[in-house]
């Protein structure tokens, strides 16, 4: 019941464990607000450790006006990031295109990127559902929230893609292309409003400007990913692996109508989870933009790199403990340092498999660490749920790249 000075949460009658879980999620948000800069701190917020044996706990209520004021003071790097990414993409299109024919790479890049974004958005929607089912106590204020949603969803969609691809559900035109788009519909419906789904993540990055150190790496990643395969990165022989089998196998499967082992490529006998998702993305593009068949998997892999960096930042924040300032430093450092590794930018901007392995490994670590709230045991997350989540992620990591069995 509400009182004049705040909200009284009573656990004495029903739902003690569930209410305890909800209160712990609420405490994360309160602690984060209490640790904000003095000019942006909500008035009247204070948080203390929750008593383990008392039936009730009292938290001061924060007015909507105060929360709105605090949110309005948070700087958003979205315009800067969007401007840098747009400039990088336009530069890539200009380099890739020839005079009189630049509209072809531009249209293919736009079509491929749109399909890649749709694929990842659907994966995040599935992940939100799986996060709620397996980790109901991990609310929006918890540092593992975003990483669990994106990682769980990507793992689930990779499993779905390899299953549907193996039975011949994806292909060019007709029913198969309709199936490819229909596969994304449940995740897109579960995603909800994009502004609601992604605003919290952007504010979390913006609230700590140290994370802006990753903007140059993001610009280079966007620039390189906008180039057609075979142009960038002499260290990777112009993306030889992507041209020889990462993209070639899905192209052959697309023409054949299903995933199958081919006699001229031993890699086709591997699990090929990421190649199955490339087949899905190619089927989404269809015949509308032929060059977009290569750009969609490449853009999807670049987005996986960003998601992996965000998940790594979440792992660092969880391990840093409940102190909001220290967790913010850890999140920013994890995000920026992973994206700042040159090899991540190189492999992430090509249609490879490595970013899926990084994302799955970080997701498994988040699932394992999600049982701890600071350094306290989270009794509301069962070991079975953690086991399912870790197994789903590690299985997808090995399916994405078989040699990851010795790494994850």
């Amino acid at each position: 019941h509400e009182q004049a000075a705040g909200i009284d949460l009573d656990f004495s009658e029903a739902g003690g464990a569930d209410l305890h879980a909800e209160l712990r999620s609420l405490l994360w948000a309160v602690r984060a607000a209490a640790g904000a800069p003095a000019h942006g701190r909500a008035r009247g917020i204070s948080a203390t450790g929750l008593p383990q044996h008392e039936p009730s706990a009292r938290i001061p209520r924060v007015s909507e006006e105060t929360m709105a004021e605090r949110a309005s003071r948070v700087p958003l790097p979205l315009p800067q990031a969007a401007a840098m990414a747009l400039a990088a993409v336009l530069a890539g299109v200009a380099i890739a295109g020839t005079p009189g024919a630049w509209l072809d790479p531009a249209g293919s890049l736009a079509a491929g990127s749109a399909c890649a974004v749709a694929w990842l958005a659907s994966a995040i929607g599935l992940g939100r559902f799986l996060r709620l089912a397996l980790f109901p106590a991990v609310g929006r204020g918890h540092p593992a929230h975003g990483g669990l949603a994106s990682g769980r969803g990507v793992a689930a969609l990779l499993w779905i893609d390899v299953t549907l691809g193996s039975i011949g559900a994806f292909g060019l035109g007709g029913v198969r292309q309709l199936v490819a788009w229909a596969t994304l519909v449940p995740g897109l419906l579960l995603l909800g409003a994009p502004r609601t789904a992604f605003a919290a993540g952007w504010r979390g990055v913006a609230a700590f400007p140290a994370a802006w150190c990753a903007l140059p790496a993001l610009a280079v990643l966007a620039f390189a990913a906008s180039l057609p395969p075979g142009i960038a990165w002499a260290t990777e022989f112009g993306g030889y692996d992507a041209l020889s089998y990462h993209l070639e196998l899905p192209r052959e499967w697309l023409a054949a109508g299903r995933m199958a082992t081919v006699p001229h490529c031993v890699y086709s006998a591997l699990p090929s989870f990421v190649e199955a998702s490339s087949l899905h993305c190619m089927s989404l593009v269809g015949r509308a933009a032929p060059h977009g068949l290569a750009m969609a998997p490449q853009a999807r892999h670049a987005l996986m790199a960003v998601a992996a960096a965000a998940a790594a930042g979440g792992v660092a924040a969880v391990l840093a403990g409940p102190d909001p300032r220290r967790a913010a430093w850890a999140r920013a450092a994890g995000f920026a340092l992973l994206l700042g590794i040159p090899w991540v930018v190189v492999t992430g901007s090509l249609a490879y498999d490595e970013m899926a392995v990084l994302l799955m490994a970080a997701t498994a670590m988040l699932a394992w660490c999600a049982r701890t709230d600071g350094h306290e045991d989270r009794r509301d997350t069962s070991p079975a749920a953690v086991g399912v989540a870790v197994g789903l992620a590690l299985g997808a990591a090995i399916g994405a790249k078989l040699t990851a069995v010795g790494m994850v």
Side-chain angles (χ1 to χ4, degrees):
H1 64 278
E2 286 196 5
Q3 294 181 354
I7 302 174
D8 185 34
L9 302 176
D10 190 355
F11 299 97
S12 59
E13 293 186 2
D18 293 337
L19 289 174
H20 189 274
E22 292 298 326
L23 180 56
R24 282 193 173 277
S25 299
L26 182 60
L27 277 174
W28 276 100
V30 173
R31 287 168 180 165
H39 67 273
R41 185 176 301 167
R43 294 186 298 272
I45 285 187
S46 62
T48 58
L50 186 66
Q52 296 295 323
H53 303 292
E54 295 186 12
S56 64
R58 187 176 182 78
I59 298 180
R61 183 176 55 213
V62 183
S63 67
E64 294 182 359
E65 180 180 359
T66 303
M67 290 295 289
E69 291 175 356
R70 184 168 60 87
S72 65
R73 293 192 184 105
V74 175
L76 288 178
L78 184 57
Q80 297 94 319
M84 294 178 71
L86 179 61
V89 168
L90 292 177
V93 170
I95 292 175
T98 56
W102 67 275
L103 285 176
D104 184 24
S108 297
L109 176 61
S113 300
C115 292
V117 170
W119 188 93
L120 185 64
S122 177
I124 294 175
L126 293 175
R128 293 182 68 186
F129 172 77
L130 292 174
R131 195 276 311 161
L132 183 63
L134 296 175
F135 300 94
V138 177
R140 287 187 179 275
H142 197 285
H145 178 271
L148 283 175
S150 60
R152 293 273 77 76
V154 169
L157 196 51
L158 287 176
W159 282 97
I160 293 171
D161 283 353
V162 75
T163 302
L164 294 179
S166 299
I167 64 176
F170 298 142
L172 287 174
V175 176
R176 288 175 175 171
Q177 189 169 9
L178 182 62
V179 170
W181 281 102
T183 305
L184 302 183
V185 171
L188 293 175
L189 293 177
L190 292 169
L191 181 66
R195 181 175 181 179
T196 303
F198 297 108
W202 274 109
R203 286 196 180 100
V205 173
F208 212 74
W212 297 8
C213 296
L215 287 178
L218 284 170
V220 176
L221 180 69
F223 169 75
S226 68
L227 297 172
I231 292 182
W233 307 128
T235 54
E236 278 295 293
F237 306 100
Y240 174 81
D241 288 357
L243 293 173
S244 59
Y245 61 91
H246 287 304
L247 290 173
E248 178 62 19
L249 282 176
R251 187 194 67 80
E252 293 186 15
W253 293 337
L254 190 69
R258 63 175 300 166
M259 294 176 63
T261 303
V262 295
H264 61 81
C265 183
V266 67
Y267 296 109
S268 64
L270 300 180
S272 303
F273 277 37
V274 176
E275 284 73 25
S277 73
S278 297
L279 172 63
H280 188 181
C281 289
M282 290 181 178
S283 185
L284 295 174
V285 176
R287 297 187 177 91
H291 296 290
L293 297 179
M295 300 307 295
Q298 189 165 281
R300 181 222 56 221
H301 198 236
L303 292 173
M304 282 186 178
V306 179
V315 172
V318 172
L319 295 178
D323 179 70
R325 189 69 177 173
R326 186 169 60 180
W329 268 105
R331 182 194 293 272
F335 180 78
L337 288 176
L338 182 62
L339 274 183
I341 297 174
W343 207 240
V344 170
V345 177
V346 171
T347 57
S349 59
L350 296 168
Y352 282 3
D353 299 337
E354 281 74 13
M355 296 305 105
V357 176
L358 289 182
L359 176 57
M360 294 301 101
T363 303
M365 293 177 68
L366 273 178
W368 186 264
C369 296
R371 295 202 71 226
T372 61
D373 183 356
H375 299 289
E376 302 171 9
D377 183 32
R378 290 192 71 89
R379 298 175 180 83
D380 42 37
T381 302
S382 69
V386 174
V388 169
V390 171
L392 179 67
L394 296 185
I398 297 169
K401 193 176 183 68
L402 190 58
T403 53
V405 69
M407 304 175 190
V408 299

